[in-house]
Amino acid sequence: MKAVVTVVGQDKTGIVAGIATELAAHEVNILDLSQTIMSSTFTMSMLVAISGEDSFNEIHAALKEKGASMGVSVHVQREEIFDTMAHV
C-alpha cells in the first residue's frame, strides 16, 4: 500500500532524519520526497510504500507521536484517498 506523509513545522535540524528513521523502523520505504522551507516554516511531502508487518494505523500513530516529540505536525493519508481529495 502507498501513503502520502506530510510534515509541517518550524524549521530545525533533524526533521527529515527523525521522520525517515521512524519510517525505517516500521519497514516503510520512501519512494519520493519533496521538501522546502518557506520563510522559517519547514514543509515536506513524501510518497511511501508500506509493506512491513505493521498496519497503516500503527504507522500513522507512530509518525504522529514522533512529530509531536519533534514539534512538527505530521499527516498520513492512504494514496487513494489523497488522490481522490485532490480531484474534488
Side-chain angles (χ1 to χ4, degrees), residues 1-70:
M1 165 200 336
K2 292 181 184 172
V4 176
V5 178
T6 56
V7 181
V8 178
Q10 188 70 27
D11 185 37
K12 61 182 143 192
T13 303
I15 298 173
V16 175
I19 299 299
T21 299
E22 191 67 33
L23 289 168
H26 294 277
E27 299 180 23
V28 175
N29 187 35
I30 299 170
L31 302 173
D32 199 359
L33 178 144
S34 174
Q35 70 174 34
T36 190
I37 299 170
M38 297 182 296
S39 186
S40 61
T41 302
F42 174 87
T43 62
M44 176 171 65
S45 298
M46 307 169 91
L47 179 63
V48 301
I50 300 172
S51 60
E53 293 183 19
D54 293 349
S55 72
F56 174 85
N57 291 336
E58 289 171 318
I59 293 165
H60 182 264
L63 287 172
K64 291 288 243 184
E65 184 177 321
K66 182 64 175 181
S69 74
M70 296 172 54

